[in-house]
Amino acid sequence: PSSTYEMLSLLWDHAITFHRMWGSGKNFNILKRFFKIYVHGYPGAHELRNALMETRSLEDVSRLMHSHGFPARIEDTGDQPA
């Protein structure tokens, strides 16, 4: 995958999978090391990546990605934050 949308889709899928597997049982910060893999190489990536590093939950990631035009909605997955 090389498009911005594809990379953000992978990030969102990774975040959802982490949430489903671990919920609040693992430190959310573990997931942050992957953000730079998914968010790079396009205008505004640096700012989005920095903002993602400040998130503390799947809900925060959802809100942030949605505010940047990506349809990452917890409601659409059937999941609720742990």
Side-chain angles (χ1 to χ4, degrees):
S2 59
S3 77
T4 299
Y5 187 86
E6 289 172 318
M7 295 304 283
L8 292 178
S9 291
L10 287 173
L11 183 153
W12 182 239
D13 289 344
H14 194 158
I16 288 291
T17 301
F18 182 91
H19 175 74
R20 286 182 178 152
M21 289 289 294
W22 306 110
S24 60
K26 289 253 184 202
N27 189 326
F28 183 80
N29 289 330
I30 294 169
L31 185 59
K32 293 179 183 182
R33 68 179 166 181
F34 298 100
F35 291 162
K36 68 180 178 180
I37 295 169
Y38 299 117
V39 183
H40 70 280
Y42 62 89
H46 179 75
E47 291 80 10
L48 177 56
R49 188 172 56 251
N50 286 344
L52 283 165
M53 296 305 285
E54 299 297 320
T55 60
R56 297 180 185 264
S57 67
L58 181 67
E59 186 175 42
D60 289 348
V61 173
S62 171
R63 245 190 323 269
L64 181 61
M65 290 180 69
H66 189 270
S67 75
H68 281 79
F70 185 84
R73 295 284 213 177
I74 291 174
E75 307 84 58
D76 297 338
T77 67
D79 285 345
Q80 294 301 314

